[in-house]
Amino acid sequence: MTQPLSADQPIPFMPGPKPSTKDYQGLDDWRSLSADQQPDWAQHPEFERVMGELNTVPPLVFAGEVDTLKRRLAEVAEGRAFLLQGGDCAETFEGATADRISARVKTLLQMAAVLTYGASMPVVKMGRMAGQFSKPRSSNDETRGDVTLPSFRGEMVNGFDFTAESRAHNPERMLRGYHTSASTLNLIRAFTGGGFADLRHVHSWNMGFASNPAHARYEKLAKEIDRAVKFMAACGADFDALSTTELFTGHEALVLDYERALTRIDSRTHRPYGTSGHFLWIGERTRGIDDAHVDLLSRLQNPIGVKLGPKTTGEDALRLIDKLDPNREPGRLTFITRMGAKSIREALPPVVQAVQDSGAKVVWVTDPMHGNTVSTPSGFKTRNFDDVIDEINGFFEVHRAIGSHPGGIHVEMTGDDVAECLGGADAIEEAHFADRYESLCDPRLNHMQSLEVAFLVSSYLSGEQS
């Protein structure tokens, strides 16, 4: 294991006095706790060198940005905004190209335009990007024929190719993950701050799948937005606010060596921030209340998410609130429910009711993907689009019945024309998988299916569907 930073090590975060030993107090307590889903690389000859470098690299995000996101999520918790989070199941190094990043950003912008215009509600946009390079696995090993090798855990840990060399856990991959995240964030900031996201260019985000019903519907909405913008321009409105947008990033904080190494002390407050991403979440497999992931993230100032599966109880949720949000700070804690279409209507109500009765203000988000994964006879992991829609429906039904705010949606999606999830208006069939299945891990909604989801959610938020 790596040694904690000492007070005299350089912390390239913000100008100000150097952090003291007291500022780091407790940040390494997780090392003595149960830590599931961790790479086996501590004995690698490059481990100490890699950790030393990660301890001193510049942060990927800054404390001020993280604080802004927390304020935006507080609006969601209060029922005045909606969170849209989407991106790859597991990012790849080779997939971090300008074209693919821009396609994902375009899709998120389109979805946000649909939600904002249809629901007349601000939408907090967050990419599952610039850090989603590791994945929890149900088994440590994978067997093909008579060969057994370590499971693929995302490109920050090991490679996808089924060879001993590729599947070995290599800490040097963390450095590539860091640098790939940095280049992705640079491009995202250029897109969102340089006019690419200007709402007056809403037509330019459409990516040419005009024959698809979702795109035809989007084009109609884009014309309505154009008319509204032209009307406001004729009235002398100032459009500076439309020229840029906020797009935050988040990922599962799975690899604790990486997350701890990118923890920095903010010189304004002398509090620790995770600077690998604006928003960090804990997975269903690693949310043990006394385990390492919960302990480390409880000490960071970032807004934190927790995935909740169908076996979650109200007591589980309340214990997580006490540990991760003891001051009951709106925007601090997000519960991302991933219960499956068949379970959500029974499993979710007692959890929401317990939180509601406690008075805690959390953000409720649906992840309609992870509880609905199935395998085809040909061996592909997939999801049925109808199941994804059904879980979204169940999520809104439960929250409306209880009187809580259905605050957001978290989807695995891409801006590309892949075929990984079955169904949709322009139906994907299993026969399409052979040529258009690209994910190295879990199946994603393609661009068109993502837009369909946005229109459905917009109808719920606007009250058109109940």
Side-chain angles (χ1 to χ4, degrees):
M1 307 298 285
T2 55
Q3 296 299 313
L5 290 172
S6 60
D8 60 352
Q9 286 180 281
I11 308 296
F13 191 37
M14 298 179 67
K18 287 184 178 181
S20 67
T21 302
K22 182 180 177 181
D23 296 327
Y24 291 101
Q25 189 171 353
L27 287 176
D28 288 286
D29 286 3
W30 65 270
R31 299 181 189 279
S32 64
L33 303 176
S34 173
D36 198 13
Q37 301 286 333
Q38 296 308 287
D40 178 20
W41 54 27
Q43 304 307 314
H44 192 285
E46 297 300 322
F47 180 73
E48 293 297 337
R49 179 189 64 79
V50 167
M51 297 312 299
E53 186 169 343
L54 287 173
N55 279 331
T56 56
V57 292
L60 292 171
V61 302
F62 297 92
E65 297 173 332
V66 171
D67 292 342
T68 297
L69 173 59
K70 193 183 290 184
R71 291 194 296 271
R72 302 290 183 263
L73 290 176
E75 290 295 296
V76 178
E78 297 288 354
R80 296 190 289 264
F82 191 80
L83 172 64
L84 168 65
Q85 184 174 15
D88 272 326
C89 159
E91 292 178 281
T92 64
F93 298 148
E94 290 186 358
T97 65
D99 287 345
R100 291 201 167 185
I101 294 168
S102 67
R104 265 176 279 161
V105 172
K106 280 183 181 179
T107 302
L108 282 170
L109 292 175
Q110 283 185 298
M111 294 175 75
V114 169
L115 293 168
T116 304
Y117 192 76
S120 300
M121 179 179 286
V123 173
V124 181
K125 296 175 284 295
M126 188 188 303
R128 187 181 156 112
M129 301 166 65
Q132 189 58 29
F133 290 107
S134 57
K135 290 290 292 182
R137 305 314 298 263
S138 56
S139 174
N140 289 329
D141 300 313
E142 178 184 355
T143 299
R144 300 184 189 180
D146 58 356
V147 178
T148 297
L149 295 173
S151 295
F152 173 60
R153 290 187 172 273
E155 291 202 323
M156 188 178 280
V157 177
N158 58 359
F160 182 75
D161 292 342
F162 195 71
T163 66
E165 181 181 10
S166 174
R167 291 296 177 92
H169 295 181
N170 185 348
E172 292 184 292
R173 288 178 169 271
M174 285 190 286
L175 288 174
R176 188 169 181 188
Y178 168 85
H179 290 294
T180 305
S181 296
S183 61
T184 298
L185 277 162
N186 284 342
L187 198 54
I188 290 173
R189 288 179 171 126
F191 285 152
T192 55
F196 180 89
D198 193 323
L199 194 57
R200 290 166 292 183
H201 300 159
V202 67
H203 282 287
S204 69
W205 304 336
N206 216 338
M207 293 196 283
F209 306 112
S211 62
N212 180 268
H215 278 271
R217 194 174 176 187
Y218 176 79
E219 192 60 31
K220 180 181 177 182
L221 179 139
K223 290 177 181 177
E224 292 176 11
I225 293 175
D226 267 351
R227 284 197 294 269
V229 168
K230 288 175 181 176
F231 171 77
M232 290 187 290
C235 295
D238 183 356
F239 287 109
D240 285 347
L242 298 182
S243 63
T244 63
T245 194
E246 294 174 331
L247 178 58
F248 302 98
T249 63
H251 63 268
E252 181 175 357
L254 185 63
V255 179
L256 293 175
D257 285 321
Y258 181 77
E259 301 302 336
R260 174 60 184 91
L262 283 172
T263 298
R264 300 287 182 267
I265 304 299
D266 176 21
S267 64
R268 305 167 305 167
T269 63
H270 281 255
R271 293 180 175 177
Y273 284 74
T275 69
S276 64
H278 301 106
F279 180 85
L280 305 173
W281 75 82
I282 302 166
E284 164 73 0
R285 293 182 176 95
T286 53
R287 63 172 176 82
I289 196 70
D290 297 318
D291 291 349
H293 291 82
V294 172
D295 185 84
L296 177 60
L297 268 64
S298 73
R299 302 174 189 277
L300 306 182
Q301 295 301 302
N302 304 60
I304 301 299
V306 184
K307 292 285 188 84
L308 303 180
K311 296 182 180 179
T312 306
T313 65
E315 183 181 356
D316 291 336
L318 295 178
R319 293 178 71 200
L320 286 164
I321 292 171
D322 287 342
K323 179 73 173 181
L324 293 168
D325 185 25
N327 298 322
R328 302 298 194 268
E329 179 186 5
R332 160 64 174 177
L333 184 58
T334 296
F335 281 146
I336 307 167
T337 61
R338 42 148 295 173
M339 296 182 168
K342 295 179 180 178
S343 302
I344 188 167
R345 291 170 178 85
E346 291 74 36
L348 184 57
V351 181
V352 175
Q353 192 66 63
V355 175
Q356 190 89 332
D357 292 345
S358 77
K361 289 284 187 181
V362 304
V363 175
W364 290 103
V365 172
T366 179
D367 169 2
M369 310 294 290
H370 284 91
N372 296 306
T373 305
V374 296
S375 294
T376 67
S378 56
F380 286 98
K381 290 173 68 176
T382 189
R383 288 150 179 160
N384 287 293
F385 188 71
D386 287 347
D387 291 338
V388 171
I389 297 301
D390 191 31
E391 181 154 1
I392 294 171
N393 288 339
F395 175 78
F396 276 91
E397 290 167 13
V398 168
H399 284 283
R400 290 207 167 149
I402 292 175
S404 54
H405 178 52
I409 184 168
H410 175 120
V411 291
E412 291 184 336
M413 45 73 70
T414 176
D416 302 323
D417 187 26
V418 301
E420 296 173 1
C421 293
L422 296 167
D426 189 5
I428 297 297
E429 300 175 354
E430 187 177 348
H432 298 139
F433 289 176
D435 297 321
R436 292 160 55 199
Y437 195 107
E438 298 180 9
S439 176
L440 298 187
C441 199
D442 291 340
R444 305 160 295 175
L445 300 175
N446 63 25
H447 177 75
M448 295 169 279
Q449 291 167 329
S450 300
L451 272 185
E452 288 184 62
V453 165
F455 278 112
L456 171 76
V457 173
S458 176
S459 69
Y460 269 113
L461 293 174
S462 65
E464 293 176 12
Q465 189 166 338
S466 60

